[in-house]
Amino acid sequence: MANTSSRTLRLLSLLQTHRHWSGTELAERLEVSERTLRRDVDRLRELGYPVSAARGTDGGYQLAPGAVLPPLLLDDEEAVAFAVGIGDAAQSGIAGMQEASLRALTKVVRVLPPRLRARVDALREMTLSVASSGPVVAAQVLTAVAQACRDQERLRFGYTARGSAPTEREVEPHRLVALGGRWYLVAYDLTRHDWRSFRLDRLTEPAGTGTRFRPRPLPAEDAAAFVKAAAGAPAPYTVQALVHAPATRVRQAVGQWGTIEPLNHDTCRITMTSASLDWPTQALGNVGAEFEVLGPPEFAAHVQEWGARFIRATSAPDRPSLP
């Protein structure tokens, strides 16, 4: 009985991590006969998991959305909160968090009934957070595109570029990239015969075509580098400074946007990465302590320029009072 239960959980995990499985593939993965596989599928259905099956050469099994939430040990309110939370976590900027959060979001949203998907999208649209400051992307759009990337399936959608009329696109999706508070899809555009990046907030009604493809080589180091090059984003600066204040005080002022390395009880080294030098300058000013710029030279010159500007502001000759 224990072996049957563990095999059923393994079957559920496989169905959640792949869009479609043939009966032969699933039976081989589970090391059982196809007859035993059918019994295990029936067992999942009895537990409330909506497993659909199709016969024929293209037949197989897949986990489908149901009329009610399957028994994931979450009630409706918890499921909505969970989906919203991991949606924000996917855009948190924390290293290693984006991909794992997107995988979790994909698993949850694909089994949510439509009424709960609508609540998730409404709550995300009406909620502002530090982690997600850019345009809101519907969870269903995000997960549909992510699944097409994962399954190497051609994707069709409507797209409205800035200042252009809406168009229909068919692409070979490669990767999703979260950058600067926005989501981008990197894909090979089959109409324009070239690689493109698409903003997900400008993308509508994504749908898989059912056609698989062999991945093409991306003309960039990775998907993030491709999006940055396409957007013309400047290379970020990595600045360092020696701050004469306790690490706890610096961390309170800077938060998660800098790496603080304590050197002794009242001195620490801070490292920040930013496309603009204004933000690190302001962050160091917010600490309210003496500091020394360690690099790069552009940052030292930027801090000197800010300092000179403030000195001029306080040493300017008296001016008539404003009315």
Side-chain angles (χ1 to χ4, degrees):
M1 187 66 180
N3 185 48
T4 301
S5 299
S6 62
R7 192 176 64 243
T8 303
L9 290 175
R10 171 66 174 154
L11 171 60
L12 177 60
S13 177
L14 290 171
L15 289 171
Q16 288 181 331
T17 55
H18 204 287
R19 182 176 182 270
H20 181 272
W21 289 94
S22 70
T24 302
E25 288 177 313
L26 275 179
E28 289 177 354
R29 287 294 189 101
L30 297 171
E31 299 180 350
V32 298
S33 67
E34 292 196 27
R35 182 178 179 181
T36 300
L37 172 63
R38 286 193 293 270
R39 287 200 299 265
D40 289 343
V41 168
D42 288 339
R43 194 171 291 111
L44 281 179
R45 289 169 175 160
E46 291 172 0
L47 292 172
Y49 291 93
V51 182
S52 62
R55 298 181 181 275
T57 56
D58 294 327
Y61 299 92
Q62 67 180 32
L63 194 63
V68 296
L69 185 68
L72 299 176
L73 303 181
L74 296 172
D75 60 26
D76 286 1
E77 299 298 331
E78 292 169 336
V80 171
F82 185 59
V84 172
I86 58 179
D88 281 346
Q91 301 182 71
S92 65
I94 302 173
M97 183 68 73
Q98 294 176 0
E99 184 177 351
S101 299
L102 189 54
R103 288 200 308 269
L105 184 64
T106 299
K107 288 182 179 181
V108 172
V109 172
R110 71 176 301 179
V111 296
L112 283 177
R115 59 187 173 82
L116 293 189
R117 290 186 191 178
R119 289 176 59 186
V120 169
D121 291 339
L123 187 55
R124 292 188 70 228
E125 184 176 357
M126 298 305 296
T127 303
L128 298 178
S129 70
V130 175
S132 178
S133 56
V136 173
V137 177
Q140 190 171 357
V141 169
L142 191 61
T143 53
V145 175
Q147 288 170 15
C149 292
R150 180 196 62 192
D151 296 336
Q152 295 175 3
E153 178 183 2
R154 287 183 178 178
L155 188 68
R156 188 179 292 119
F157 53 83
Y159 192 73
T160 305
R162 184 172 60 183
S164 302
T167 58
E168 292 293 323
R169 305 293 184 96
E170 185 171 339
V171 304
E172 294 177 353
H174 178 69
R175 288 288 186 278
L176 282 173
V177 176
L179 181 67
R182 294 185 173 92
W183 279 104
Y184 296 86
L185 166 65
V186 175
Y188 186 84
D189 192 320
L190 294 168
T191 302
R192 289 153 178 79
H193 305 289
D194 199 4
W195 287 91
R196 293 286 191 272
S197 64
F198 301 93
R199 274 178 48 174
L200 258 63
D201 59 296
R202 296 175 177 170
L203 186 152
T204 59
E205 299 182 357
T209 64
T211 303
R212 303 298 176 87
F213 63 89
R214 179 173 295 178
R216 305 170 189 260
L218 180 69
E221 180 181 355
D222 54 33
F226 181 86
V227 172
K228 291 176 182 177
Y237 297 95
T238 299
V239 306
Q240 285 192 324
L242 194 68
V243 184
H244 299 286
T248 53
R249 174 180 167 185
V250 177
R251 192 171 288 111
Q252 287 176 350
V254 177
Q256 64 174 334
W257 308 112
T259 301
I260 293 92
E261 178 188 355
L263 300 180
N264 53 50
H265 71 282
D266 61 358
T267 306
C268 61
R269 179 165 47 225
I270 182 171
T271 303
M272 293 176 282
T273 301
S274 174
S276 168
L277 292 175
D278 287 338
W279 188 87
T281 304
Q282 181 180 347
L284 286 168
N286 289 341
V287 175
E290 297 291 325
F291 65 90
E292 303 163 28
V293 174
L294 301 178
E298 296 93 335
F299 183 52
H302 195 75
V303 172
Q304 288 177 344
E305 180 185 344
W306 270 46
R309 190 180 307 147
F310 287 132
I311 290 174
R312 288 195 299 271
T314 57
S315 60
D318 292 339
R319 295 185 175 88
S321 299
L322 295 175

